[in-house]
């Protein structure tokens, strides 16, 4: 059985693998469908597919393993959908018209950096030297992978627009982190349906041709697996690692895409892949082996989220007086607790740190 501390790391890497798979799979469809329509179908496929899983969970399962979204949490989700599913794609689409493809590929790597900076500056997430170093290594690896000669010579307002889109996606990641304790299926279903519907409407307004039904079915399936399941895993990783660490590990997706392109499309990676791969592996290893611990205090609070018994952070009594073993969700009270152990900025350890 996988150690609980490694689970969120595996979730983040699996999310990167599935999202990386969307690149070679999308290449197979690009010749038969418009890119804006494909993006909408991918998002819509994620919303529909995960929505079916959510419905199945509600109808056929009686145990309550995940906490429902509350009314006061809807603004976080709405902000994530608007930032990452609506505003960012519009800004990217407008910016790509004025930015060379090589420059765009490099600038899109800024999303991981933006996620970390927003996590630290706006949401005060604890990030140490090891995490910063891992983020730098992973970002350098992505830059090497996407580098093309004189790639940045034409960066102008279009390039700034792409950086703005990356900032919006970084904001999306951090807003989603704030509700990551809640049912990930519900979060992804709403985000997918919202972003997918918007993108399809945008494609219709732009007069883009609607793809055939066969291509539509394939795009919806790819969206469900490579977007929907990937984002569910991403939310689970956010729950255990926080935004900065999850974003850094997720940045491995382009490398996953290159490897899968070799398998699916028989495309041979160029020397840039082999130059960036050691940096990517080293950054991922540094992040995965982080051992952050200090004396910290959990303030008393009442909330609801999925938790497992036995767990030193969840030794509360249950209403029926029975001892529960396993994972479930219900409103519960945390008493104040001070102790010292290795931890990440998971949903139980989002405390402040003293400078330095």
């Amino acid at each position: 059985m996988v150690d609980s501390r490694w689970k969120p790391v595996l979730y983040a890497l699996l999310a990167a693998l599935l999202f990386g798979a969307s690149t070679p799979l999308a290449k197979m469809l690009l010749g038969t469908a418009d890119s804006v329509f494909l993006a909408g179908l991918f998002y819509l496929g994620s919303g529909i597919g995960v929505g079916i899983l959510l419905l199945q969970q509600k109808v056929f399962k009686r145990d309550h393993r995940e906490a429902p979204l509350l009314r006061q949490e809807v603004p976080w989700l709405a902000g994530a959908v608007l930032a990452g599913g609506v505003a960012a794609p519009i800004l990217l689409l407008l910016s790509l018209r004025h930015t060379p493809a090589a420059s765009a590929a490099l600038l899109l790597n800024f999303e991981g950096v933006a996620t970390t900076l927003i996590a630290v500056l706006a949401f005060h997430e604890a990030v140490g030297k090891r995490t910063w170093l891992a983020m730098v290594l992973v970002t350098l690896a992505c830059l090497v992978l996407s580098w093309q000669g004189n790639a940045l010579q034409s960066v102008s307002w279009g390039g700034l627009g792409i950086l703005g889109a990356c900032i919006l996606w970084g904001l999306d990641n951090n807003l989603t982190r704030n509700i990551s304790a809640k049912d990930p299926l519900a979060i992804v279903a709403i985000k997918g349906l919202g972003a997918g519907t918007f993108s399809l409407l945008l494609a219709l307004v732009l007069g883009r041709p609607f793809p055939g039904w066969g291509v539509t079915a394939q795009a919806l399936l790819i969206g469900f697996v490579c977007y929907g399941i990937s984002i569910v895993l991403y939310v689970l990783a956010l729950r255990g690692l926080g935004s900065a660490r999850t974003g850094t590990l997720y940045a491995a997706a382009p490398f996953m895409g290159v490897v899968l392109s070799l398998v699916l499309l028989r495309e041979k990676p160029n020397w840039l892949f082999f130059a960036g791969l050691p940096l990517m592996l080293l950054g991922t290893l540094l992040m995965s082996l982080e051992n952050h611990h200090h004396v910290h205090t959990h303030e008393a609070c009442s909330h609801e989220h999925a938790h497992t018994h036995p767990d030193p952070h969840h030794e509360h009594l249950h209403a029926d007086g029975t001892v529960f073993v396993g994972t479930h969700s219900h409103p519960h009270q945390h008493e104040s607790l001070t102790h010292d152990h290795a931890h990440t900025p998971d949903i139980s350890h989002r405390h402040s740190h003293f400078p330095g």
Side-chain angles (χ1 to χ4, degrees):
M1 189 172 182
V2 179
D3 186 281
S4 59
R5 286 184 58 193
W6 282 94
K7 280 185 178 180
V9 172
L10 293 177
Y11 288 148
L13 293 176
L14 283 173
L17 175 64
L18 290 177
F19 187 71
S22 68
T23 300
L25 292 173
K27 283 183 179 180
M28 297 178 178
L29 300 179
L30 275 177
T32 57
D34 175 75
S35 58
V36 180
F37 255 119
L38 273 183
L41 290 172
F42 286 161
Y43 275 118
L44 197 62
S46 71
I48 293 173
V50 174
I52 291 173
L53 293 180
L54 179 64
L55 182 62
Q56 181 267 340
Q57 174 182 278
K58 299 295 184 184
V59 172
F60 296 105
K61 292 186 178 180
R62 294 183 179 180
D63 58 326
H64 302 285
R65 296 176 63 89
E66 292 289 349
L69 282 164
L70 301 179
R71 180 178 301 175
Q72 60 265 33
E73 293 163 334
V74 171
W76 295 115
L77 180 56
V81 173
L82 290 173
V86 177
I90 290 179
L91 189 54
L92 179 65
L93 187 64
L94 294 173
S95 301
L96 286 175
R97 297 174 61 184
H98 306 286
T99 310
S103 301
L106 279 179
L107 294 170
L108 283 169
N109 293 309
F110 185 68
E111 180 185 343
V113 178
T115 298
T116 300
L117 291 176
I118 293 172
V120 172
L121 298 176
F123 295 96
H124 309 294
E125 186 172 303
V127 175
K129 294 179 180 179
R130 179 188 289 261
T131 302
W132 282 115
L133 178 58
M135 184 198 70
V136 169
L137 288 171
V138 170
T139 302
L140 284 175
C142 292
L143 291 175
V144 169
L145 179 66
S146 55
W147 177 259
Q148 296 182 34
N150 299 320
L152 294 177
Q153 66 178 1
S154 301
V155 173
S156 57
W157 290 110
L160 293 176
I162 293 175
L163 293 178
C166 289
I167 291 172
L168 288 169
W169 276 313
L171 178 60
D172 171 12
N173 295 335
N174 279 279
L175 293 175
T176 303
R177 173 255 203 192
N178 284 347
I179 54 174
S180 61
K182 300 310 171 84
D183 191 341
L185 296 181
I187 293 171
V188 176
I190 294 172
K191 290 183 71 173
L193 291 172
T197 301
F198 168 79
S199 295
L200 290 180
L201 290 175
L202 178 62
L204 291 172
V205 169
L206 294 174
R208 303 297 172 84
F210 194 89
W213 291 110
V215 173
T216 298
Q218 293 178 61
L220 290 173
L221 180 59
I222 292 172
F224 167 54
V225 177
C226 298
Y227 280 47
I229 302 301
S230 174
I231 302 174
V232 168
L233 292 169
Y234 190 92
V235 172
L236 292 173
L238 283 173
R239 181 182 291 181
L241 295 174
S243 301
R245 291 157 180 81
T246 301
T248 299
L249 292 171
Y250 190 72
F255 282 83
M256 306 285 195
V258 172
V259 173
L260 290 170
S261 292
L262 173 63
V263 176
L264 298 175
L265 304 177
R266 305 299 181 186
E267 293 183 355
K268 293 183 179 180
N270 59 26
W271 67 271
L272 292 172
F273 171 80
F274 296 103
L277 185 59
L279 295 172
M280 174 62 68
L281 292 176
L282 181 57
T284 302
L285 186 64
L286 279 174
M287 185 67 70
S288 303
L289 297 179
E290 181 184 26
N291 187 28
H292 172 78
H293 67 88
H294 58 89
V295 176
H296 56 277
T297 298
H298 299 267
E299 302 295 338
C301 68
S302 296
H303 61 178
E304 180 179 1
H305 63 89
H307 56 278
T308 302
H309 296 281
D311 174 14
H313 296 97
H314 294 90
E315 295 181 341
H316 50 259
L317 296 176
H318 292 79
D320 57 6
T322 61
V323 177
F324 184 88
V325 176
T327 301
H328 67 163
S329 176
H330 62 89
H332 55 277
Q333 171 74 32
H334 285 276
E335 302 300 333
S336 180
L337 173 66
T338 301
H339 59 178
D340 181 1
H341 65 91
H343 60 277
T344 55
D346 58 31
I347 56 178
S348 297
H349 295 92
R350 290 177 180 169
H351 48 259
S352 61
H353 290 70
F354 292 105

